[in-house]
mmCIF file of all heavy atoms in Angstrom:
data_model
loop_
_atom_site.group_PDB
_atom_site.id
_atom_site.type_symbol
_atom_site.label_atom_id
_atom_site.label_comp_id
_atom_site.label_asym_id
_atom_site.label_seq_id
_atom_site.Cartn_x
_atom_site.Cartn_y
_atom_site.Cartn_z
ATOM 1 N N ALA A 30 0.978 26.648 -30.677
ATOM 2 C CA ALA A 30 -0.308 26.468 -30.074
ATOM 3 C C ALA A 30 -1.381 27.126 -30.604
ATOM 4 O O ALA A 30 -2.456 27.301 -30.023
ATOM 5 C CB ALA A 30 -0.125 26.837 -28.524
ATOM 6 N N MET A 31 -1.361 27.582 -31.893
ATOM 7 C CA MET A 31 -2.505 28.217 -32.662
ATOM 8 C C MET A 31 -2.981 29.441 -31.978
ATOM 9 O O MET A 31 -4.223 29.869 -32.222
ATOM 10 C CB MET A 31 -3.694 27.247 -32.861
ATOM 11 C CG MET A 31 -3.291 26.222 -33.906
ATOM 12 S SD MET A 31 -2.217 24.939 -33.513
ATOM 13 C CE MET A 31 -3.518 23.839 -32.796
ATOM 14 N N ASN A 85 -14.849 27.545 -19.184
ATOM 15 C CA ASN A 85 -13.422 28.100 -18.954
ATOM 16 C C ASN A 85 -12.552 27.464 -20.038
ATOM 17 O O ASN A 85 -11.817 26.428 -19.903
ATOM 18 C CB ASN A 85 -12.996 27.554 -17.536
ATOM 19 C CG ASN A 85 -11.814 28.253 -17.094
ATOM 20 O OD1 ASN A 85 -10.926 28.595 -17.910
ATOM 21 N ND2 ASN A 85 -11.769 28.598 -15.795
ATOM 22 N N GLY A 86 -12.646 28.005 -21.281
ATOM 23 C CA GLY A 86 -12.130 27.381 -22.376
ATOM 24 C C GLY A 86 -13.022 26.339 -22.921
ATOM 25 O O GLY A 86 -13.929 25.834 -22.210
ATOM 26 N N SER A 87 -12.962 25.996 -24.178
ATOM 27 C CA SER A 87 -13.796 24.865 -24.572
ATOM 28 C C SER A 87 -13.405 23.532 -24.055
ATOM 29 O O SER A 87 -14.127 22.568 -24.052
ATOM 30 C CB SER A 87 -13.953 24.772 -26.205
ATOM 31 O OG SER A 87 -12.731 25.019 -26.828
ATOM 32 N N ASP A 88 -12.083 23.583 -23.509
ATOM 33 C CA ASP A 88 -11.811 22.312 -22.685
ATOM 34 C C ASP A 88 -12.705 21.970 -21.681
ATOM 35 O O ASP A 88 -13.082 20.821 -21.511
ATOM 36 C CB ASP A 88 -10.344 22.581 -22.104
ATOM 37 C CG ASP A 88 -9.273 22.545 -23.066
ATOM 38 O OD1 ASP A 88 -9.467 22.208 -24.237
ATOM 39 O OD2 ASP A 88 -8.114 22.869 -22.709
ATOM 40 N N GLU A 89 -13.176 23.007 -20.908
ATOM 41 C CA GLU A 89 -14.104 22.716 -19.842
ATOM 42 C C GLU A 89 -15.433 22.294 -20.411
ATOM 43 O O GLU A 89 -16.062 21.478 -19.811
ATOM 44 C CB GLU A 89 -14.339 23.930 -18.966
ATOM 45 C CG GLU A 89 -15.021 23.563 -17.706
ATOM 46 C CD GLU A 89 -15.614 24.698 -16.900
ATOM 47 O OE1 GLU A 89 -15.888 25.727 -17.437
ATOM 48 O OE2 GLU A 89 -15.758 24.495 -15.588
ATOM 49 N N ILE A 91 -15.917 20.442 -23.061
ATOM 50 C CA ILE A 91 -15.777 19.080 -23.416
ATOM 51 C C ILE A 91 -15.861 18.273 -22.137
ATOM 52 O O ILE A 91 -16.596 17.178 -22.151
ATOM 53 C CB ILE A 91 -14.323 18.766 -23.995
ATOM 54 C CG1 ILE A 91 -14.272 19.551 -25.367
ATOM 55 C CG2 ILE A 91 -13.998 17.378 -24.142
ATOM 56 C CD1 ILE A 91 -12.849 19.674 -25.989
ATOM 57 N N SER A 111 -7.134 13.616 -33.811
ATOM 58 C CA SER A 111 -7.903 14.756 -33.637
ATOM 59 C C SER A 111 -7.475 15.413 -32.320
ATOM 60 O O SER A 111 -6.452 15.210 -31.764
ATOM 61 C CB SER A 111 -9.467 14.532 -33.648
ATOM 62 O OG SER A 111 -10.167 15.707 -33.702
ATOM 63 N N PHE A 112 -8.265 16.387 -31.810
ATOM 64 C CA PHE A 112 -7.965 17.132 -30.584
ATOM 65 C C PHE A 112 -7.812 16.163 -29.398
ATOM 66 O O PHE A 112 -8.769 15.324 -29.107
ATOM 67 C CB PHE A 112 -9.069 18.146 -30.284
ATOM 68 C CG PHE A 112 -8.749 19.070 -29.117
ATOM 69 C CD1 PHE A 112 -7.517 19.775 -29.185
ATOM 70 C CD2 PHE A 112 -9.659 19.453 -28.234
ATOM 71 C CE1 PHE A 112 -7.235 20.736 -28.226
ATOM 72 C CE2 PHE A 112 -9.410 20.346 -27.176
ATOM 73 C CZ PHE A 112 -8.149 20.869 -27.180
ATOM 74 N N TYR A 115 -10.473 15.111 -26.175
ATOM 75 C CA TYR A 115 -11.597 14.235 -26.233
ATOM 76 C C TYR A 115 -11.302 12.953 -25.611
ATOM 77 O O TYR A 115 -12.046 12.382 -24.798
ATOM 78 C CB TYR A 115 -12.040 13.944 -27.719
ATOM 79 C CG TYR A 115 -12.260 15.156 -28.610
ATOM 80 C CD1 TYR A 115 -11.971 15.054 -30.036
ATOM 81 C CD2 TYR A 115 -12.612 16.469 -28.160
ATOM 82 C CE1 TYR A 115 -12.116 16.152 -30.824
ATOM 83 C CE2 TYR A 115 -12.793 17.578 -28.951
ATOM 84 C CZ TYR A 115 -12.509 17.316 -30.287
ATOM 85 O OH TYR A 115 -12.658 18.415 -31.164
ATOM 86 N N ALA A 157 -14.188 17.734 -34.979
ATOM 87 C CA ALA A 157 -13.559 18.993 -35.115
ATOM 88 C C ALA A 157 -13.666 19.471 -36.475
ATOM 89 O O ALA A 157 -13.327 18.877 -37.438
ATOM 90 C CB ALA A 157 -12.164 18.938 -34.552
ATOM 91 N N PRO A 159 -12.869 22.997 -38.579
ATOM 92 C CA PRO A 159 -11.974 21.954 -39.202
ATOM 93 C C PRO A 159 -11.140 21.193 -38.141
ATOM 94 O O PRO A 159 -11.186 21.686 -36.923
ATOM 95 C CB PRO A 159 -10.954 22.833 -39.983
ATOM 96 C CG PRO A 159 -11.015 24.209 -39.294
ATOM 97 C CD PRO A 159 -12.467 24.403 -38.866
ATOM 98 N N ASN A 160 -10.464 20.112 -38.534
ATOM 99 C CA ASN A 160 -9.905 19.258 -37.542
ATOM 100 C C ASN A 160 -8.569 19.838 -37.098
ATOM 101 O O ASN A 160 -7.815 20.381 -38.042
ATOM 102 C CB ASN A 160 -9.759 17.879 -38.192
ATOM 103 C CG ASN A 160 -9.207 16.868 -37.223
ATOM 104 O OD1 ASN A 160 -9.468 16.948 -35.993
ATOM 105 N ND2 ASN A 160 -8.556 15.792 -37.597
ATOM 106 N N ASN A 161 -8.162 19.647 -35.894
ATOM 107 C CA ASN A 161 -6.871 19.807 -35.438
ATOM 108 C C ASN A 161 -6.316 18.400 -35.128
ATOM 109 O O ASN A 161 -6.921 17.798 -34.391
ATOM 110 C CB ASN A 161 -6.907 20.599 -34.058
ATOM 111 C CG ASN A 161 -5.571 20.743 -33.417
ATOM 112 O OD1 ASN A 161 -4.514 20.312 -33.928
ATOM 113 N ND2 ASN A 161 -5.624 21.209 -32.132
ATOM 114 N N ASP A 186 -16.987 20.717 -33.124
ATOM 115 C CA ASP A 186 -15.949 21.591 -32.422
ATOM 116 C C ASP A 186 -15.346 22.579 -33.453
ATOM 117 O O ASP A 186 -14.503 22.183 -34.323
ATOM 118 C CB ASP A 186 -14.872 20.627 -31.717
ATOM 119 C CG ASP A 186 -13.806 21.536 -31.019
ATOM 120 O OD1 ASP A 186 -13.737 22.799 -31.130
ATOM 121 O OD2 ASP A 186 -12.970 20.942 -30.384
ATOM 122 N N ALA A 188 -13.341 25.301 -33.125
ATOM 123 C CA ALA A 188 -12.261 26.120 -32.516
ATOM 124 C C ALA A 188 -11.755 27.094 -33.544
ATOM 125 O O ALA A 188 -11.300 28.200 -33.311
ATOM 126 C CB ALA A 188 -11.261 25.294 -31.930
ATOM 127 N N TYR A 189 -11.710 26.724 -34.810
ATOM 128 C CA TYR A 189 -11.110 27.475 -35.820
ATOM 129 C C TYR A 189 -12.079 28.216 -36.811
ATOM 130 O O TYR A 189 -11.719 28.556 -37.898
ATOM 131 C CB TYR A 189 -10.070 26.618 -36.709
ATOM 132 C CG TYR A 189 -9.077 26.016 -35.805
ATOM 133 C CD1 TYR A 189 -9.234 24.821 -35.253
ATOM 134 C CD2 TYR A 189 -8.007 26.811 -35.338
ATOM 135 C CE1 TYR A 189 -8.284 24.256 -34.294
ATOM 136 C CE2 TYR A 189 -7.088 26.226 -34.477
ATOM 137 C CZ TYR A 189 -7.268 25.001 -34.075
ATOM 138 O OH TYR A 189 -6.318 24.528 -33.082
ATOM 139 N N ILE A 210 -19.441 23.757 -30.198
ATOM 140 C CA ILE A 210 -18.525 24.442 -29.212
ATOM 141 C C ILE A 210 -17.547 25.261 -30.077
ATOM 142 O O ILE A 210 -17.004 24.953 -31.103
ATOM 143 C CB ILE A 210 -17.815 23.442 -28.203
ATOM 144 C CG1 ILE A 210 -16.935 22.339 -28.932
ATOM 145 C CG2 ILE A 210 -18.750 22.700 -27.315
ATOM 146 C CD1 ILE A 210 -16.134 21.583 -27.973
ATOM 147 N N ARG A 211 -17.361 26.463 -29.413
ATOM 148 C CA ARG A 211 -16.358 27.311 -30.008
ATOM 149 C C ARG A 211 -15.536 28.058 -28.878
ATOM 150 O O ARG A 211 -15.879 27.847 -27.704
ATOM 151 C CB ARG A 211 -17.084 28.514 -30.703
ATOM 152 C CG ARG A 211 -17.677 27.937 -32.097
ATOM 153 C CD ARG A 211 -18.077 29.225 -32.920
ATOM 154 N NE ARG A 211 -18.573 28.768 -34.186
ATOM 155 C CZ ARG A 211 -19.400 29.639 -34.912
ATOM 156 N NH1 ARG A 211 -19.739 30.821 -34.437
ATOM 157 N NH2 ARG A 211 -19.800 29.139 -36.094
ATOM 158 N N THR A 212 -14.468 28.782 -29.263
ATOM 159 C CA THR A 212 -13.595 29.233 -28.265
ATOM 160 C C THR A 212 -13.052 30.693 -28.737
ATOM 161 O O THR A 212 -13.116 30.976 -30.002
ATOM 162 C CB THR A 212 -12.341 28.392 -28.089
ATOM 163 O OG1 THR A 212 -11.424 28.937 -27.077
ATOM 164 C CG2 THR A 212 -11.614 28.155 -29.349
ATOM 165 N N PHE A 213 -12.695 31.515 -27.734
ATOM 166 C CA PHE A 213 -12.060 32.828 -27.980
ATOM 167 C C PHE A 213 -10.534 32.563 -28.131
ATOM 168 O O PHE A 213 -9.784 33.585 -28.461
ATOM 169 C CB PHE A 213 -12.332 33.815 -26.941
ATOM 170 C CG PHE A 213 -13.738 34.335 -26.928
ATOM 171 C CD1 PHE A 213 -14.877 33.590 -26.703
ATOM 172 C CD2 PHE A 213 -13.875 35.696 -27.387
ATOM 173 C CE1 PHE A 213 -16.086 34.090 -26.771
ATOM 174 C CE2 PHE A 213 -15.216 36.246 -27.489
ATOM 175 C CZ PHE A 213 -16.282 35.410 -27.096
ATOM 176 N N SER A 214 -10.081 31.395 -27.933
ATOM 177 C CA SER A 214 -8.656 31.138 -27.905
ATOM 178 C C SER A 214 -7.814 31.363 -29.128
ATOM 179 O O SER A 214 -6.805 31.866 -29.111
ATOM 180 C CB SER A 214 -8.256 29.693 -27.411
ATOM 181 O OG SER A 214 -8.776 29.540 -26.069
ATOM 182 N N LYS A 215 -8.485 31.094 -30.260
ATOM 183 C CA LYS A 215 -7.757 31.205 -31.519
ATOM 184 C C LYS A 215 -7.926 32.492 -32.201
ATOM 185 O O LYS A 215 -7.467 32.708 -33.350
ATOM 186 C CB LYS A 215 -8.182 29.943 -32.383
ATOM 187 C CG LYS A 215 -8.135 28.605 -31.729
ATOM 188 C CD LYS A 215 -6.849 28.043 -31.346
ATOM 189 C CE LYS A 215 -6.808 27.091 -30.259
ATOM 190 N NZ LYS A 215 -7.441 25.833 -30.361
ATOM 191 N N ALA A 219 -6.472 33.836 -26.143
ATOM 192 C CA ALA A 219 -6.161 32.558 -25.456
ATOM 193 C C ALA A 219 -6.064 32.706 -23.850
ATOM 194 O O ALA A 219 -6.357 31.776 -23.187
ATOM 195 C CB ALA A 219 -4.903 31.913 -26.128
ATOM 196 N N ARG A 222 -9.221 32.438 -21.412
ATOM 197 C CA ARG A 222 -9.893 31.181 -21.314
ATOM 198 C C ARG A 222 -11.513 31.369 -21.309
ATOM 199 O O ARG A 222 -12.155 31.274 -20.332
ATOM 200 C CB ARG A 222 -9.562 30.424 -19.946
ATOM 201 C CG ARG A 222 -8.023 30.361 -19.704
ATOM 202 C CD ARG A 222 -7.344 29.508 -20.803
ATOM 203 N NE ARG A 222 -7.847 28.091 -20.859
ATOM 204 C CZ ARG A 222 -8.276 27.543 -21.933
ATOM 205 N NH1 ARG A 222 -8.235 28.154 -23.169
ATOM 206 N NH2 ARG A 222 -8.697 26.242 -22.009
ATOM 207 N N LEU A 223 -11.859 31.403 -22.544
ATOM 208 C CA LEU A 223 -13.411 31.372 -22.665
ATOM 209 C C LEU A 223 -13.933 30.573 -23.788
ATOM 210 O O LEU A 223 -13.389 30.807 -24.992
ATOM 211 C CB LEU A 223 -13.888 32.925 -22.740
ATOM 212 C CG LEU A 223 -15.457 32.989 -22.881
ATOM 213 C CD1 LEU A 223 -16.060 32.489 -21.531
ATOM 214 C CD2 LEU A 223 -15.922 34.398 -23.178
ATOM 215 N N GLY A 224 -14.798 29.701 -23.695
ATOM 216 C CA GLY A 224 -15.397 28.938 -24.634
ATOM 217 C C GLY A 224 -16.956 29.045 -24.503
ATOM 218 O O GLY A 224 -17.380 29.343 -23.520
ATOM 219 N N PHE A 296 -3.107 27.191 -39.029
ATOM 220 C CA PHE A 296 -1.781 26.497 -38.999
ATOM 221 C C PHE A 296 -1.636 25.740 -40.263
ATOM 222 O O PHE A 296 -2.540 25.463 -40.942
ATOM 223 C CB PHE A 296 -1.753 25.572 -37.670
ATOM 224 C CG PHE A 296 -2.854 24.582 -37.742
ATOM 225 C CD1 PHE A 296 -2.785 23.379 -38.424
ATOM 226 C CD2 PHE A 296 -4.082 24.870 -36.924
ATOM 227 C CE1 PHE A 296 -3.892 22.402 -38.415
ATOM 228 C CE2 PHE A 296 -5.173 23.896 -37.022
ATOM 229 C CZ PHE A 296 -5.057 22.727 -37.589
HETATM 230 C C1 PLP B 401 -7.452 24.761 -29.403
HETATM 231 C C2 PLP B 401 -8.614 23.910 -29.532
HETATM 232 C C3 PLP B 401 -9.545 23.788 -28.541
HETATM 233 C C4 PLP B 401 -9.201 24.416 -27.138
HETATM 234 O O1 PLP B 401 -9.922 25.499 -26.833
HETATM 235 P P1 PLP B 401 -9.766 26.202 -25.415
HETATM 236 O O2 PLP B 401 -10.978 27.098 -25.520
HETATM 237 O O3 PLP B 401 -8.555 26.891 -25.501
HETATM 238 O O4 PLP B 401 -9.876 25.284 -24.300
HETATM 239 C C5 PLP B 401 -10.696 22.989 -28.745
HETATM 240 N N1 PLP B 401 -10.924 22.237 -29.723
HETATM 241 C C6 PLP B 401 -9.926 22.295 -30.713
HETATM 242 C C7 PLP B 401 -10.105 21.382 -31.931
HETATM 243 C C8 PLP B 401 -8.756 22.988 -30.670
HETATM 244 O O5 PLP B 401 -7.764 22.932 -31.526
#
Side-chain angles (χ1 to χ4, degrees):
M31 281 79 86
N85 194 324
S87 37
D88 286 352
E89 192 195 24
I91 293 165
S111 188
F112 190 47
Y115 310 147
N160 188 29
N161 169 11
D186 182 347
Y189 302 95
I210 58 176
R211 286 195 181 157
T212 177
F213 284 72
S214 295
K215 314 288 156 68
R222 307 300 300 130
L223 184 65
F296 58 83

